Structure formats: C-alpha cells, structure tokens
Amino acid sequence: MATPNKEIVLSGIRATGNLHLGNYFGALRKFVAVQDDYDCNFFIADLHALTTNPDPNQLHANVKSILAEYLAAGLDPEKSTIFVQSDVPEISEMYLLLNMHVGIGELMRTASFKDKARKALGIGTPADDSDEAFEKEIIGASTNKRVNAGLLTYPTLMAVDILIQKANKVPVGKDQLQHLELTRRFARRFNSFYGVDLFPEPTDFDFGGAPVKVPGLDGSGKMGKSEGNCIYLIDDPKVLRKKVMRAMTDEGPKEPNSPMTEPIANLFTLLELTSTPEIVTSFREAYADCSIRYGDLKKQLAEDILNITTPIRERVNDILADDAYLSQVVKRGAEKARERASQTLAEMRQIMGIRKF
Ligand code: TYM
C-alpha cells in the first residue's frame, strides 16, 4: 500500500462508458507505470459524470466497468488506492468550500466549459468566439435548454479531487491541462488569502515526454466519446480491425517528401503510440518516397493496437463477474482516500473559521 513519504500521484476518469485509447494513452497507461514508485491514488469520477445527467442505472454500470478495466489493465489495489469519487463525501463538502474562492468568470472562460455548454445548447462555435459573445449566448439561453451549474463548476470539483489528497503529480491527457492550471491557481489563491501553506501546487505528470492528445481516425480532432470515434479497450478484434480499416485517408503522396494531411498524420500518431520505432520509421520512409500503401499501414496499426488491448479485454469479464472482489477493492480504497481527505477538510474548515462550540 501507499507509503507516506513518497510523492502523491492522483488521477481519475469520468464514469461515462468504456475506456478508449485516448483514456489509455492519456491516463491509464501512466497510472499503471508509476504504481511502484509513488503514493498512487486513482479513482472513478462518478460525480463529474453527473454533469450530463446520465441514466441512474447506467451510471452505476459505468462505474463498475471502469473499475474492472482499471484492474484488467494492471492497476493493483495492493499498490494503489483505488476508489470511487462519491465514496469520499469529504469531496462534496470541500467542493462547496472551495467554490467560495472561485470566480464564475474564470470558470466560464474555460475551453471545456465553452465546448460542453454549446453542445448542451445545441449550437456550434460561432464566428464570434469572444468571451463576451459567449456570455451572452449562455445568459440568453432559454430555460428548457439550460447549461447546468455543475458543468460550470466542473473545474472546482476536479481541483478538490486533487487538493483534498494534497497531490503533487497528476497524470492526464493534454485536454486536461487547463483544468490543472486552474487547480494550481485555486491552490495559490487559497494559501495566500488565508496566509497558509495548506495545498501544494500540483503539476502534470508525463514521464515519457509531453502530454498526448490521441486523435480519432475520422479525419480530425481527438478521440472522445462525444465525438463518437472511439476505439475501445474492450472492442472485439473483428470490430477493432474494422474501425481501423475504415480510418479516413487521402489519395496518397504524389511527390517525394510531401507534407501529411491531418488524417494521415493522425494514423502516424497512433502508430507511434502503439508500434515499434522500426515499424514507424519504415512507414515514414514509405510515405516519403511515395511507396506507402495505406491498407498495409492500417493492418499493422490494428495488430499493434490489439497487442495492447487483447490482454486487457481477456481479463475484464472475469473481473466484472466478481462483485465481491470489486466491492472489496473500492471499500478499502475509500477508507484510505477518506483518511487524508478528512484530515485536509478538517484543516480547511479550521482555516476558514468553521469551528465547533
Ligand atoms: P475524462 O474521463 O474526460 O478523461 C480521462 C482521462 O483520459 C484523457 N483523455 C485523453 N488523452 C489523450 N487523448 C485523448 N483523445 C483523450 N481523451 C481522454 C483525459 O485527458 C483524462 O486524463 N476531468 C477528468 C477526470 C477527473 C480528474 C480529476 C483527472 C476528475 N477529477 C482529478 C485528474 C485529477 C477527465 O477529463 O476525465
């Protein structure tokens, strides 16, 4: 189990469905890799998933499936504290307290909020993407198409997850860096407002280089559930091969050393994440001298992805069927997570002046 004098690593994934390659390379792979060397804490963010008002039965099923996928991918409850966010009620109370030091303006300017709020209202990104225009869109929205306040305060809740455990390092994908920056700002603000040194400022954690953005194979943008372009860790080999073979390509390079179009660059990004450097180089050379056959590249990519996902997929069903084991893992995880959370919350209450008679 966690050793107190090691640096604290913490991260989580929202309970919104099965894990995809974006979650794997942006987050889960790193969780597994650092387990031996840090005080590791990994959770399933079910409260964050509530921002989209999911079906209640589906929410619990999603929590369970992510837990099973964590374990199948190699997270070890003997090494890491593995818990469900809502099993730590201290998080909800601290969320209320921290919100008192968070500005609605800074929350509204967050890129992920703009994106999700527009999706909730069913509008695309308009020509005028200024903060002022966005504020008007939100305030002017009709009441039956509301953007809920939980979506706005999503970064507060994420900051609380991190700060309540006094985490130093947070392994996440590139899309979460802005939230992490806000977390640091909130930590600094709280410390300086009360003249205390309660919260460390957490940093992102990418031992293997810069944080990644895993692209989708549909031409542009990232792989994500709301983009509907995911390759899931539990995809059956047939389904997975089909998804990869359908990836968007172009007509092929016409001249040596042509620049790559985005869909091709995306295929190479995935190949770099999944394949050996030799294979990547050979396809790059084939692209440069115009001899590349995209069909071969896709076949190779599908097999390399399967090499990673197959062991996970093969373990996940057995784990999912073992309710007693799953519940034992999260009970123990919640106990551990609550130890530090309740300590931090008590300190925070004291600092803010909430004291007992
Ligand atoms: P979620 O569920 O949206 O994403 C979970 C993790 O997967 C990464 N990710 C990606 N990385 C690279 N390329 C992609 N296409 C891709 N898609 C997803 C995300 O960057 C993330 O690391 N807000 C968090 C959940 C959370 C959290 C926290 C994380 C809640 N509290 C505290 C760290 C610390 C999120 O984005 O979940």
Side-chain angles (χ1 to χ4, degrees), residues 97 100-101 189-196 348 351-353:
L97 298 181
M100 305 305 166
H101 288 276
R189 185 179 294 160
F190 187 93
N191 286 346
S192 91
F193 186 88
Y194 294 102
V196 293
M348 204 172 165
I351 290 166
M352 292 177 83

Side-chain angles (χ1 to χ4, degrees), residues 14 48 51 116 149-159 176 179:
R14 273 177 310 149
H48 276 103
T51 53
K116 292 197 168 122
L151 204 55
L152 181 68
T153 53
Y154 185 111
T156 313
L157 184 56
M158 179 159 160
Q176 295 300 307
H179 289 155

Side-chain angles (χ1 to χ4, degrees), residues 73-252:
L75 279 193
D76 179 352
E78 297 301 321
K79 297 177 182 168
S80 296
T81 301
I82 302 170
F83 63 101
V84 180
Q85 188 182 30
S86 61
D87 282 342
V88 182
E90 290 79 5
I91 290 174
S92 300
E93 185 177 341
M94 179 168 157
Y95 166 61
L96 183 148
L97 298 181
L98 191 67
N99 258 332
M100 305 305 166
H101 288 276
V102 172
I104 52 173
E106 59 193 341
L107 293 175
M108 280 182 84
R109 286 189 291 273
T110 310
S112 63
F113 176 67
K114 284 184 155 184
D115 189 40
K116 292 197 168 122
R118 285 190 173 124
K119 275 194 186 130
L121 296 175
I123 43 183
T125 308
D128 180 1
D129 189 27
S130 67
D131 291 334
E132 295 72 27
F134 176 68
E135 276 166 36
K136 276 197 198 128
E137 281 169 39
I138 294 294
I139 291 165
S142 69
T143 43
N144 60 353
K145 273 196 172 180
R146 66 188 177 277
V147 176
N148 71 56
L151 204 55
L152 181 68
T153 53
Y154 185 111
T156 313
L157 184 56
M158 179 159 160
V160 167
D161 294 328
I162 298 168
L163 299 177
I164 206 164
Q165 298 295 339
K166 299 193 177 173
N168 311 98
K169 290 183 150 58
V170 184
V172 282
K174 207 171 175 177
D175 60 320
Q176 295 300 307
L177 295 183
Q178 193 179 24
H179 289 155
L180 206 50
E181 184 57 51
L182 280 174
T183 303
R184 281 193 287 275
R185 197 198 289 171
F186 300 160
R188 272 197 301 277
R189 185 179 294 160
F190 187 93
N191 286 346
S192 91
F193 186 88
Y194 294 102
V196 293
D197 192 17
L198 184 64
F199 299 124
E201 282 185 40
T203 56
D204 68 275
F205 191 27
D206 276 277
F207 43 89
V212 294
K213 177 178 114 178
V214 177
L217 290 182
D218 48 355
S220 66
K222 69 164 190 167
M223 184 176 291
K225 275 167 218 150
S226 47
E227 285 75 10
N229 60 4
C230 293
I231 295 177
Y232 292 101
L233 298 182
I234 58 151
D235 271 344
D236 171 83
K238 245 183 166 170
V239 172
L240 193 146
R241 287 194 185 101
K242 225 183 204 168
K243 284 185 182 175
V244 177
M245 294 314 286
R246 277 209 207 113
M248 187 191 265
T249 51
D250 57 21
E251 290 171 349

Side-chain angles (χ1 to χ4, degrees), residues 270-339:
L270 270 178
L271 194 70
E272 263 162 9
L273 286 166
T274 52
S275 207
T276 62
E278 294 73 32
I279 290 177
V280 176
T281 306
S282 79
F283 278 103
R284 279 202 183 282
E285 285 170 1
Y287 183 87
D289 68 18
C290 304
S291 66
I292 192 160
R293 294 204 319 221
Y294 290 146
D296 293 345
L297 169 62
K298 290 176 179 180
K299 267 190 206 139
Q300 178 72 45
L301 180 59
E303 296 318 305
D304 288 331
I305 295 174
L306 280 169
N307 276 339
I308 294 170
T309 61
T310 300
I312 300 174
R313 190 188 64 251
E314 285 178 349
R315 278 195 290 266
V316 87
N317 283 337
D318 285 345
I319 299 175
L320 255 183
D322 195 346
D323 277 329
Y325 175 60
L326 293 176
S327 100
Q328 179 210 323
V329 167
V330 291
K331 269 200 189 127
R332 204 166 138 214
E335 271 169 30
K336 284 289 293 176
R338 290 192 69 184
E339 269 175 37

